[in-house]
Amino acid sequence: MIDVLVVDDDFHVAEINARYVGRVPGYRVTARAHSAAQALAAVGRGTVDLVLLDHYLPDETGLELVHRMREQGHGTDVIMVTAASDVTTVQRAMRLGALHYLVKPFTFAALRARLDSYAALRRTVDRVGRRGLTGQEQVDRIFGALRTAPAPAAPSPPSGRSEPTTDLICGVLHRAGHPLSAHEVAARTGLSRSTAQRYLRHLEQAGRLRLTLKYGDTGRPEHRYAWVGP
């Protein structure tokens, strides 16, 4: 298993990202952090293979955190997951050794592609290391594993799925212009809530919807779905 630290100052976003990671085979979230100090402490405990790192943190930026990690000798791998998309930040992330850079908002499929690429990189490094091979060919294999993000596996459609029902749900979400719950989608389409939920889950896994969580005063958070296309 690949142990992941999810770092985001927004508790709700951290929970969503952790849920995404938990859906990818071979990965598990072992810790969450909402500040650079918390993240550095988690990395210092030596139980983290990969950090999913936001750039905007309350005490310092994510890249400042990476710089301190490297100064302290932590070689933990980093994938940036942030709304920061300016060229300066992206270039600095590359120079500090970030393996991937994912701009918010993103879909589950987009994150999974990066995680699949990272897992392929680890397998390649392990395989080359066990054989004790050296030379340009082996270096090319390692760098090639990192550059090539496998296409995300297509999710299995709901049993008995029909294209007209899919189009109906997509149309409702597209016209809404804001996230809707499964209950709201069911009410607007005339479908049962369970049927709407099955289709929504499939569309979110396919990258056509974005899942967010709405927290109330009590109880479990409400799942809400927003149209992202195509």
Side-chain angles (χ1 to χ4, degrees):
M1 296 293 289
I2 297 173
D3 292 333
V4 179
L5 167 65
V6 174
V7 184
D8 200 292
D9 67 319
D10 189 316
F11 285 72
H12 300 168
V13 172
E15 179 62 26
I16 293 171
N17 291 349
R19 288 173 181 265
Y20 277 175
V21 172
R23 288 164 52 185
V24 180
Y27 285 86
R28 63 186 174 193
V29 175
T30 55
R32 298 171 179 80
H34 309 292
S35 69
Q38 291 176 358
L40 189 60
V43 170
R45 288 192 288 270
T47 58
V48 176
D49 299 310
L50 175 66
V51 180
L52 294 187
L53 180 60
D54 188 17
H55 182 58
Y56 299 116
L57 300 174
D59 45 354
E60 63 181 356
T61 69
L63 294 185
E64 288 170 342
L65 169 61
V66 177
H67 182 69
R68 286 212 292 149
M69 286 168 52
R70 302 307 183 227
E71 282 187 329
Q72 296 182 19
H74 301 303
T76 310
D77 293 322
V78 174
I79 293 178
M80 297 299 297
V81 179
T82 178
S85 59
D86 60 282
V87 173
T88 300
T89 301
V90 174
Q91 286 182 329
R92 191 173 176 216
M94 293 173 61
R95 290 164 182 161
L96 287 171
L99 297 180
H100 279 298
Y101 199 108
L102 188 58
V103 178
K104 297 178 181 177
F106 56 86
T107 64
F108 166 69
L111 177 61
R112 176 163 187 172
R114 273 68 177 182
L115 295 180
D116 285 345
S117 175
Y118 175 70
L121 169 65
R122 287 174 61 98
R123 289 193 299 270
T124 300
V125 171
D126 288 344
R127 183 165 57 250
V128 171
R130 285 196 304 270
R131 295 175 180 175
L133 302 177
T134 59
Q136 188 64 54
E137 181 181 354
Q138 313 315 320
V139 172
D140 288 344
R141 287 183 184 179
I142 293 172
F143 276 82
L146 178 60
R147 293 194 192 102
T148 306
S156 300
S159 177
R161 178 178 68 92
S162 71
E163 288 303 323
T165 302
T166 299
D167 292 341
L168 176 63
I169 291 176
C170 289
V172 164
L173 286 162
H174 182 60
R175 290 189 297 272
H178 59 83
L180 298 176
S181 67
H183 176 75
E184 291 170 325
V185 171
R188 297 189 186 199
T189 58
L191 301 169
S192 69
R193 187 183 184 283
S194 61
T195 298
Q197 184 64 65
R198 287 191 297 112
Y199 278 81
L200 290 167
R201 187 179 300 113
H202 166 69
L203 289 167
E204 187 263 330
Q205 291 175 349
R208 299 176 68 182
L209 304 180
R210 182 175 67 252
L211 172 64
T212 59
L213 301 179
K214 181 181 179 181
Y215 285 77
D217 295 332
T218 59
R220 299 177 62 184
E222 180 182 54
H223 289 207
R224 300 181 69 82
Y225 297 87
W227 174 255
V228 295

